Amino acid sequence: MPDTGSAISFPVATPPDPGTEVEIADGVLWIRLPLPMALDHVNVYALDDGESWTLVDTGVNTSACRRAWNAILAGPLADKPVRRVFLTHHHPDHVGCAGTFAENGAALYASRVGYLTARMLTLDVQDRPLPETLSFWRAAGMDEALVLRRAAERPFNFSDIVAPIPLGFTRLDAGDVISAGGRTWDIRVGHGHAPDHLTFWSRDDNLVIGGDQFLPSISPNLGVYATEPYADTVGDWLRSCRAFEAFARSDQLVLPGHKLPFTGLPERLRHKIDNHVQALDRLRGHLDRPYSAAQCFVPIFGREIGADDTAYGLALGEAVGHLNHLLALGEVSRESRDGVWVWRRV
């Protein structure tokens, strides 16, 4: 989705190289790990607990990421063990190496939904897309030639880049208070990009660890998938952003899951809300005639997205999310035509 930016600032302009760190705050190390995708990095954080380290997120389980971790564990973290791993949410770039740390003695902390979803997805290995997935793609308006091509290919599986998630974790939930890195943190939970996404707000200074809930300059995907085809991810996102506004201050230093740490969280939340509100307004205008989700890319994202574009699958899921939100508001109708949902403004 187009992102208009916001009145934010970046105290540190240069990120650490893979395998190195920047002390972004007293007792907090910012570490950047490589990703094998267009968004080529993820930020993780190491919190100094005195006798041990606590990590927030872990990157993916690939050879490049493991090499970076080996350098970090032999360098800035070499003086003491990693005893805890906090997971902001279940996506593979955040949980990929969590199982490896658990094998080496670290305890996992996560939301219940985040843990169970990650564990389920690592165990759900598919050689070909399931019939429910093919039906979902068709219902969203995916071109039939692309559906047939994907039907013959092995899909992405979490286990491709996520180490096995161990049985057993410690649950974190909204309202919990934890200690890490010499600070006391309030846990607040967001939704939309991922269910039960954990964020950490320091009581002792101005730090906020935001995962993908608070990103500068880019908006996280709000996709809907065959596992929950009628989810209102956009509504969940908007409600979460509005709830977080009550706690956001301009002086807080936000440590995000991607891009650079930033200040200006209230302004950023407002822009995130406005971006989706404006996309919904454009979509309302577009739906004076019936269209499938695949025919709604221009009003939502500002451009056509072809079937060969690497962003096509993410865009299709997010288009369904916006349409589901208008359906939940009672502003559109939906009917099935030869297995394809078409939507029109009421």
Side-chain angles (χ1 to χ4, degrees):
M1 153 157 327
D3 203 321
T4 58
S6 57
I8 65 175
S9 62
F10 302 95
V12 179
T14 303
D17 293 326
T20 66
E21 86 292 343
V22 168
E23 187 172 25
I24 194 67
D26 185 34
V28 180
L29 304 184
W30 169 25
I31 298 165
R32 180 165 280 194
L33 300 171
L35 295 179
M37 54 192 74
L39 185 59
D40 62 2
H41 70 275
V42 63
N43 298 325
V44 303
Y45 302 94
L47 310 181
D48 188 347
D49 289 335
E51 299 299 320
S52 62
W53 295 98
T54 291
L55 301 181
V56 181
D57 292 336
T58 67
V60 292
N61 185 34
T62 62
S63 58
C65 193
R66 289 193 298 270
R67 284 195 299 271
W69 268 125
N70 288 338
I72 293 161
L73 293 170
L77 304 190
D79 58 336
K80 48 200 170 190
V82 174
R83 291 299 188 207
R84 297 186 298 179
V85 175
F86 295 167
L87 302 176
T88 59
H89 62 297
H90 75 272
H91 290 164
D93 50 330
H94 298 264
V95 307
C97 290
T100 303
F101 282 104
E103 285 182 354
N104 289 283
L108 295 187
Y109 291 69
S111 68
R112 176 180 285 170
V113 173
Y115 167 80
L116 292 176
T117 304
R119 182 166 167 81
M120 177 271 292
L121 288 171
T122 57
L123 298 173
D124 182 21
V125 179
Q126 301 168 15
D127 181 62
R128 293 293 183 271
L130 296 176
E132 296 90 338
T133 299
L134 300 177
S135 295
F136 176 78
W137 288 338
R138 288 189 172 100
M142 182 181 286
D143 181 76
E144 184 63 18
L146 179 57
V147 173
L148 294 176
R149 189 173 80 215
R150 289 189 171 196
E153 298 172 346
R154 183 182 184 276
F156 167 76
N157 288 279
F158 257 53
S159 59
D160 295 341
I161 56 173
V162 177
I165 302 292
L167 181 65
F169 78 111
T170 298
R171 179 184 177 187
L172 298 176
D173 206 349
D176 287 349
V177 179
I178 58 171
S179 296
R183 296 167 176 82
T184 299
W185 304 82
D186 289 301
I187 295 178
R188 300 188 173 102
V189 174
H191 305 276
H193 175 61
D196 285 5
H197 185 304
L198 301 179
T199 64
F200 304 84
W201 304 64
S202 172
R203 290 185 176 182
D204 300 292
D205 53 19
N206 63 342
L207 290 186
V208 176
I209 301 177
D212 287 358
Q213 198 73 36
F214 309 134
L215 298 178
S217 73
I218 60 173
S219 294
N221 184 254
L222 307 182
V224 173
Y225 303 95
T227 47
E228 193 180 353
Y230 307 119
D232 181 7
T233 53
V234 172
D236 290 341
W237 178 257
L238 291 173
R239 285 186 289 273
S240 293
C241 288
R242 288 166 177 149
F244 284 131
E245 284 186 298
F247 307 101
R249 304 192 316 267
S250 294
D251 69 323
Q252 287 162 327
L253 178 61
V254 181
L255 308 183
H258 305 278
K259 302 296 184 177
L260 298 174
F262 67 95
T263 61
L265 183 56
E267 296 83 358
R268 186 66 187 130
L269 288 170
R270 177 47 48 189
H271 276 275
K272 287 175 179 289
I273 293 168
D274 290 346
N275 283 342
H276 288 284
V277 168
Q278 292 163 12
L280 290 166
D281 284 341
R282 295 191 300 269
L283 185 58
R284 290 182 181 98
H286 180 67
L287 292 174
D288 57 349
R289 293 187 295 167
Y291 291 105
S292 71
Q295 294 170 321
C296 293
F297 290 160
V298 171
I300 297 174
F301 305 109
R303 67 182 181 95
E304 289 286 3
I305 300 174
D308 293 328
D309 193 310
T310 57
Y312 181 86
L314 294 174
L316 190 66
E318 185 155 338
V320 175
H322 283 78
L323 291 163
N324 280 355
H325 184 57
L326 293 182
L327 185 67
L329 294 175
E331 297 185 17
V332 299
S333 62
R334 180 186 64 183
E335 64 174 301
S336 181
R337 298 182 182 178
D338 299 322
V340 178
W341 286 116
V342 292
W343 312 70
R344 186 169 188 169
R345 188 174 70 248
V346 174

